[in-house]
Amino acid sequence: MGFLGTLLWSVLHARTLLLGAIAFLFFAYVFRKQRPKNCPPKPSSLFMLGSFFRLDFEKSHLQVQQIVKKYGNIISLPFGGMHIVLLTGLPLIKEALVHQDQHFISRPMTPIRERSFKRKGLAFSSGQIWKEQRRFTLTTLRNFGLGKKGLEERIQEETYYLVQSIREENGQPFDPHFKINNAVSNIICSVTFGERFEYQDEKFQELLRMMDEVIHLETSAWCQFYNILPRIFDLLPGPHQTLFKNWENMKLFVAEMIENHRRDWNPNETRDFIDAYFKEMEKHKGNITSSFDEENLIYTTLDLFLAGTETTSTTLRWALLYMTLHPDIQEKVHAEIDRVIGQVQHPSMALRESMPYTHAVVHEVQRMGNIVPLNVPREVTADTNLGGYYLQKGTMVLTNLTALHSDPAQWATPDTFNPEHFLENGQFKKREDFLPFSIGKRNCLGEQLARAELFIFFTTLLQKFTFRPPDNEKLTQKFRMGSILGPVKYRICAVPRV
Ligand code: HEM
Ligand SMILES: *[C@@H]1O[C@H](CO)[C@@H](O)[C@H](O)[C@H]1NC(C)=O
Ligand SMILES: *[C@@H]1O[C@H](CO)[C@@H](O)[C@H](O)[C@H]1NC(C)=O
Ligand SMILES: *[C@@H]1O[C@H](CO)[C@@H](O)[C@H](O)[C@H]1NC(C)=O
């Protein structure tokens, strides 16, 4: 950051900035544009000002609870001049994301995303670009065995390396974070780049560290302020500049992989996603309205790399933490593994049916881990009505998955890790109020892959190890703030079972 940056950072400490921003937001709010009739209810100015003073960036997603209690399941929140609507409860979420999906299919653009992604690629694009990139990616991933045998074997193969690497810790305390990230990332990397990376590969580990940093910088105060005053913050040093630098580095990595592919490309042989994309680009050659170009290739590949790495690995880190915190539950998983597959056989998706307890535990990890608490935001594409209210084009829509996953009317013990939530008479029970991958036409594109990864990685790790807390170290369930919520840094002991 440099000396000046450090100085500025300490002078303009986040809290000081926060007070300035509160004043700004408040006045922007008081002198806001006239709202159309019949908008969703919004909290009064005084109420909002009060909540902003209580706003704590460490757990901002938990703060709006009082507002929802007071104002209902569809409310609008003024935030730095943006219109945000927050939906709570399954009926409204389904109405928006499934029944009226064409009105809620876009992603909103924040200045941070604008600068990092330029509205291109798959995860943060909208309109024609999104439609074309999504359709092509889905087909291509299917051809590479998404949800089929080939990819399952790839996952099983990777568990071998992960188990080896964890064994090398000899049951001593260690932080599993980047081994798990690397193992999980290798699955999507083998699809996109056609290769996996050794856990000792310094360059790749550095990339994973940058990705992790980005996840946490995105929700930092500085980046929030960047979203409000981008022109000014463009000129200031600070964590937001680290975020942009990291994005740039990750983009360079992907661009380099693409260059390598181009050098030895054989159109007769499609090795991986990048090769398939080359072919698609050829097909659309000369058509300037088509989105199959160099830039979208980079951003779509980057989207897959990111979305395919952080989400599943964060969930697996929650899984090992919960198993360590609940040795009784871990013991039941061990018992089921010993009974159904033993030590020699590889865990596979087909075995899920005969392993209801383990299957339920994986679901409960996702419910409690709650890694995307407010889903990925959507944007209203045309003026529409929802739940009796008028929503303007351009409104940002958040759906509260936390509320869905912790509704006391649906879950027996919402705040406690309890696999029984997904069991009935010893059989696995599907739950409607459970949407960790979201729902509708723009839901998680990698859901099938993620499910296979979660089940096979988790079951193999539990087949091979008993996870215990280190002596004299207390583990907590606290999360670390970020655009994906993971557990705070922890160490565990992995004791080999045989
Ligand atoms: C436990 C693991 C995962 C969870 C909980 C998860 C969750 C989500 C959620 C909530 C969304 C937003 C959907 C919406 O807007 O309605 C999403 C989008 C997405 N996910 Fe996942 N995901 C996981 C794993 C993966 C994996 C392994 C991939 C790899 C292919 C992936 C690729 C994507 C992509 C590309 C999108 C953007 C889709 C679009 O905008 O059209 N995800 N995911
Ligand atoms: C989402 O729901 C949870 C659980 O009811 C609540 O604590 C939280 O404040 C809500 N978040 C938002 C942003 O409404
Ligand atoms: C690709 O296949 C065609 C037809 O089978 C053949 O003529 C051509 O030489 C092949 N190209 C390469 C690079 O192998
Ligand atoms: C060019 O691309 C656009 C968008 O993908 C498509 O709708 C159109 O049919 C293409 N035109 C030709 C001549 O292929």
mmCIF file of all heavy atoms in Angstrom, residues 41 47 60 68 127 148 188 198 226-227 234 298 300 316-317 337 392 403 425 456 459 475 488:
data_model
loop_
_atom_site.group_PDB
_atom_site.id
_atom_site.type_symbol
_atom_site.label_atom_id
_atom_site.label_comp_id
_atom_site.label_asym_id
_atom_site.label_seq_id
_atom_site.Cartn_x
_atom_site.Cartn_y
_atom_site.Cartn_z
ATOM 1 N N PRO A 41 -43.197 -1.356 1.432
ATOM 2 C CA PRO A 41 -42.989 -0.477 2.592
ATOM 3 C C PRO A 41 -41.509 -0.300 2.878
ATOM 4 O O PRO A 41 -40.709 -1.197 2.622
ATOM 5 C CB PRO A 41 -43.677 -1.217 3.731
ATOM 6 C CG PRO A 41 -43.909 -2.594 3.249
ATOM 7 C CD PRO A 41 -43.944 -2.548 1.761
ATOM 8 N N PHE A 47 -35.853 5.429 11.792
ATOM 9 C CA PHE A 47 -35.573 4.015 12.037
ATOM 10 C C PHE A 47 -34.289 3.601 11.327
ATOM 11 O O PHE A 47 -33.413 2.939 11.885
ATOM 12 C CB PHE A 47 -36.751 3.192 11.533
ATOM 13 C CG PHE A 47 -36.760 1.791 12.032
ATOM 14 C CD1 PHE A 47 -37.431 1.468 13.196
ATOM 15 C CD2 PHE A 47 -36.098 0.785 11.329
ATOM 16 C CE1 PHE A 47 -37.433 0.164 13.661
ATOM 17 C CE2 PHE A 47 -36.098 -0.513 11.793
ATOM 18 C CZ PHE A 47 -36.765 -0.836 12.965
ATOM 19 N N SER A 60 -23.223 -7.515 9.084
ATOM 20 C CA SER A 60 -24.285 -6.675 8.538
ATOM 21 C C SER A 60 -25.476 -7.496 8.036
ATOM 22 O O SER A 60 -26.580 -7.008 8.029
ATOM 23 C CB SER A 60 -23.747 -5.773 7.446
ATOM 24 O OG SER A 60 -23.185 -6.540 6.423
ATOM 25 N N VAL A 68 -37.342 -6.186 9.286
ATOM 26 C CA VAL A 68 -38.267 -7.156 8.693
ATOM 27 C C VAL A 68 -39.415 -7.438 9.646
ATOM 28 O O VAL A 68 -40.580 -7.480 9.264
ATOM 29 C CB VAL A 68 -37.536 -8.468 8.333
ATOM 30 C CG1 VAL A 68 -38.517 -9.510 7.840
ATOM 31 C CG2 VAL A 68 -36.486 -8.208 7.272
ATOM 32 N N GLY A 127 -28.744 -9.974 -19.868
ATOM 33 C CA GLY A 127 -29.221 -9.877 -21.250
ATOM 34 C C GLY A 127 -28.651 -10.941 -22.175
ATOM 35 O O GLY A 127 -28.430 -12.079 -21.762
ATOM 36 N N LYS A 148 -22.061 -36.756 -14.486
ATOM 37 C CA LYS A 148 -21.912 -38.086 -15.080
ATOM 38 C C LYS A 148 -20.686 -38.780 -14.490
ATOM 39 O O LYS A 148 -19.990 -38.259 -13.647
ATOM 40 C CB LYS A 148 -21.776 -37.974 -16.599
ATOM 41 C CG LYS A 148 -23.100 -37.811 -17.321
ATOM 42 C CD LYS A 148 -22.959 -38.170 -18.797
ATOM 43 C CE LYS A 148 -23.532 -37.080 -19.691
ATOM 44 N NZ LYS A 148 -22.663 -36.762 -20.815
ATOM 45 N N ILE A 188 -12.674 -28.177 -10.968
ATOM 46 C CA ILE A 188 -13.124 -27.248 -12.012
ATOM 47 C C ILE A 188 -11.964 -26.913 -12.944
ATOM 48 O O ILE A 188 -12.157 -26.739 -14.150
ATOM 49 C CB ILE A 188 -13.790 -25.983 -11.400
ATOM 50 C CG1 ILE A 188 -14.505 -25.170 -12.498
ATOM 51 C CG2 ILE A 188 -12.808 -25.088 -10.680
ATOM 52 C CD1 ILE A 188 -15.754 -25.803 -13.008
ATOM 53 N N GLU A 198 -0.518 -29.164 -8.370
ATOM 54 C CA GLU A 198 0.027 -29.776 -7.146
ATOM 55 C C GLU A 198 -0.177 -28.833 -5.967
ATOM 56 O O GLU A 198 -0.111 -27.620 -6.122
ATOM 57 C CB GLU A 198 1.529 -30.037 -7.323
ATOM 58 C CG GLU A 198 1.869 -31.049 -8.393
ATOM 59 C CD GLU A 198 1.421 -32.461 -8.025
ATOM 60 O OE1 GLU A 198 1.149 -32.722 -6.828
ATOM 61 O OE2 GLU A 198 1.335 -33.302 -8.941
ATOM 62 N N TYR A 226 -16.498 2.485 -1.941
ATOM 63 C CA TYR A 226 -16.177 2.576 -3.359
ATOM 64 C C TYR A 226 -17.466 2.522 -4.170
ATOM 65 O O TYR A 226 -17.637 3.262 -5.129
ATOM 66 C CB TYR A 226 -15.242 1.443 -3.793
ATOM 67 C CG TYR A 226 -14.818 1.577 -5.235
ATOM 68 C CD1 TYR A 226 -13.630 2.206 -5.567
ATOM 69 C CD2 TYR A 226 -15.627 1.097 -6.265
ATOM 70 C CE1 TYR A 226 -13.250 2.361 -6.894
ATOM 71 C CE2 TYR A 226 -15.268 1.254 -7.591
ATOM 72 C CZ TYR A 226 -14.076 1.878 -7.902
ATOM 73 O OH TYR A 226 -13.717 2.039 -9.210
ATOM 74 N N ASN A 227 -18.388 1.658 -3.741
ATOM 75 C CA ASN A 227 -19.646 1.528 -4.467
ATOM 76 C C ASN A 227 -20.489 2.800 -4.408
ATOM 77 O O ASN A 227 -21.303 3.059 -5.279
ATOM 78 C CB ASN A 227 -20.452 0.346 -3.919
ATOM 79 C CG ASN A 227 -19.968 -0.970 -4.493
ATOM 80 O OD1 ASN A 227 -19.376 -1.000 -5.581
ATOM 81 N ND2 ASN A 227 -20.198 -2.057 -3.783
ATOM 82 N N ASP A 234 -11.505 5.807 -6.548
ATOM 83 C CA ASP A 234 -10.559 5.420 -7.588
ATOM 84 C C ASP A 234 -9.194 6.065 -7.337
ATOM 85 O O ASP A 234 -8.155 5.499 -7.665
ATOM 86 C CB ASP A 234 -11.074 5.885 -8.963
ATOM 87 C CG ASP A 234 -11.705 4.743 -9.746
ATOM 88 O OD1 ASP A 234 -11.327 3.573 -9.483
ATOM 89 O OD2 ASP A 234 -12.570 4.999 -10.593
ATOM 90 N N ILE A 298 -12.414 -15.050 -21.384
ATOM 91 C CA ILE A 298 -11.653 -14.847 -20.146
ATOM 92 C C ILE A 298 -12.592 -14.757 -18.945
ATOM 93 O O ILE A 298 -12.413 -15.456 -17.945
ATOM 94 C CB ILE A 298 -10.787 -13.575 -20.240
ATOM 95 C CG1 ILE A 298 -9.708 -13.741 -21.313
ATOM 96 C CG2 ILE A 298 -10.145 -13.257 -18.887
ATOM 97 C CD1 ILE A 298 -8.815 -12.540 -21.492
ATOM 98 N N THR A 300 -15.830 -15.616 -18.540
ATOM 99 C CA THR A 300 -16.631 -16.804 -18.240
ATOM 100 C C THR A 300 -15.753 -17.881 -17.585
ATOM 101 O O THR A 300 -16.165 -18.522 -16.615
ATOM 102 C CB THR A 300 -17.310 -17.341 -19.515
ATOM 103 O OG1 THR A 300 -18.233 -16.360 -19.989
ATOM 104 C CG2 THR A 300 -18.089 -18.609 -19.229
ATOM 105 N N LEU A 316 -16.910 -27.357 2.668
ATOM 106 C CA LEU A 316 -16.173 -28.493 3.237
ATOM 107 C C LEU A 316 -15.428 -28.082 4.520
ATOM 108 O O LEU A 316 -15.298 -28.879 5.454
ATOM 109 C CB LEU A 316 -15.187 -29.060 2.214
ATOM 110 C CG LEU A 316 -15.819 -29.949 1.139
ATOM 111 C CD1 LEU A 316 -14.823 -30.254 0.038
ATOM 112 C CD2 LEU A 316 -16.351 -31.253 1.767
ATOM 113 N N ARG A 317 -14.952 -26.831 4.563
ATOM 114 C CA ARG A 317 -14.299 -26.382 5.802
ATOM 115 C C ARG A 317 -15.301 -26.290 6.938
ATOM 116 O O ARG A 317 -14.992 -26.613 8.073
ATOM 117 C CB ARG A 317 -13.595 -25.044 5.571
ATOM 118 C CG ARG A 317 -12.268 -25.226 4.814
ATOM 119 C CD ARG A 317 -11.483 -23.952 4.770
ATOM 120 N NE ARG A 317 -12.079 -23.007 3.842
ATOM 121 C CZ ARG A 317 -12.407 -21.748 4.145
ATOM 122 N NH1 ARG A 317 -12.189 -21.286 5.355
ATOM 123 N NH2 ARG A 317 -12.933 -20.963 3.232
ATOM 124 N N ILE A 337 -20.357 -45.223 7.392
ATOM 125 C CA ILE A 337 -19.320 -45.505 6.382
ATOM 126 C C ILE A 337 -18.801 -46.931 6.559
ATOM 127 O O ILE A 337 -18.699 -47.693 5.594
ATOM 128 C CB ILE A 337 -18.162 -44.486 6.499
ATOM 129 C CG1 ILE A 337 -18.626 -43.111 6.026
ATOM 130 C CG2 ILE A 337 -16.949 -44.946 5.688
ATOM 131 C CD1 ILE A 337 -17.633 -41.996 6.247
ATOM 132 N N GLN A 392 -39.900 -1.189 -9.458
ATOM 133 C CA GLN A 392 -39.411 -0.446 -10.604
ATOM 134 C C GLN A 392 -38.272 -1.193 -11.286
ATOM 135 O O GLN A 392 -37.455 -1.819 -10.604
ATOM 136 C CB GLN A 392 -38.866 0.870 -10.083
ATOM 137 C CG GLN A 392 -39.304 2.060 -10.842
ATOM 138 C CD GLN A 392 -38.791 3.324 -10.160
ATOM 139 O OE1 GLN A 392 -38.449 3.336 -8.972
ATOM 140 N NE2 GLN A 392 -38.721 4.391 -10.917
ATOM 141 N N ALA A 403 -33.030 -16.547 6.394
ATOM 142 C CA ALA A 403 -34.346 -16.626 7.021
ATOM 143 C C ALA A 403 -35.012 -17.959 6.666
ATOM 144 O O ALA A 403 -35.607 -18.621 7.511
ATOM 145 C CB ALA A 403 -35.211 -15.457 6.582
ATOM 146 N N ASN A 425 -37.726 -41.270 9.920
ATOM 147 C CA ASN A 425 -37.666 -42.725 10.117
ATOM 148 C C ASN A 425 -36.391 -43.318 9.532
ATOM 149 O O ASN A 425 -36.410 -44.330 8.827
ATOM 150 C CB ASN A 425 -38.871 -43.424 9.472
ATOM 151 C CG ASN A 425 -40.179 -42.852 9.974
ATOM 152 O OD1 ASN A 425 -40.296 -42.539 11.171
ATOM 153 N ND2 ASN A 425 -41.138 -42.688 9.092
ATOM 154 N N ILE A 456 -18.580 -36.718 -2.133
ATOM 155 C CA ILE A 456 -17.428 -37.612 -2.294
ATOM 156 C C ILE A 456 -16.237 -37.144 -1.448
ATOM 157 O O ILE A 456 -15.602 -37.934 -0.753
ATOM 158 C CB ILE A 456 -17.063 -37.775 -3.778
ATOM 159 C CG1 ILE A 456 -18.226 -38.482 -4.502
ATOM 160 C CG2 ILE A 456 -15.774 -38.574 -3.951
ATOM 161 C CD1 ILE A 456 -18.071 -38.592 -5.987
ATOM 162 N N THR A 459 -17.255 -37.700 2.395
ATOM 163 C CA THR A 459 -17.303 -39.098 2.797
ATOM 164 C C THR A 459 -15.911 -39.725 2.798
ATOM 165 O O THR A 459 -15.563 -40.500 3.696
ATOM 166 C CB THR A 459 -18.262 -39.891 1.884
ATOM 167 O OG1 THR A 459 -19.483 -39.165 1.780
ATOM 168 C CG2 THR A 459 -18.564 -41.257 2.442
ATOM 169 N N LEU A 475 -12.422 -24.286 19.442
ATOM 170 C CA LEU A 475 -12.985 -24.007 18.122
ATOM 171 C C LEU A 475 -14.337 -23.320 18.293
ATOM 172 O O LEU A 475 -15.083 -23.631 19.205
ATOM 173 C CB LEU A 475 -13.173 -25.312 17.344
ATOM 174 C CG LEU A 475 -11.897 -26.117 17.086
ATOM 175 C CD1 LEU A 475 -12.216 -27.352 16.253
ATOM 176 C CD2 LEU A 475 -10.849 -25.262 16.393
ATOM 177 N N VAL A 488 -14.140 -18.792 10.770
ATOM 178 C CA VAL A 488 -12.882 -18.120 11.072
ATOM 179 C C VAL A 488 -11.790 -19.186 11.040
ATOM 180 O O VAL A 488 -12.048 -20.382 11.178
ATOM 181 C CB VAL A 488 -12.895 -17.414 12.450
ATOM 182 C CG1 VAL A 488 -13.862 -16.252 12.460
ATOM 183 C CG2 VAL A 488 -13.194 -18.384 13.563
#
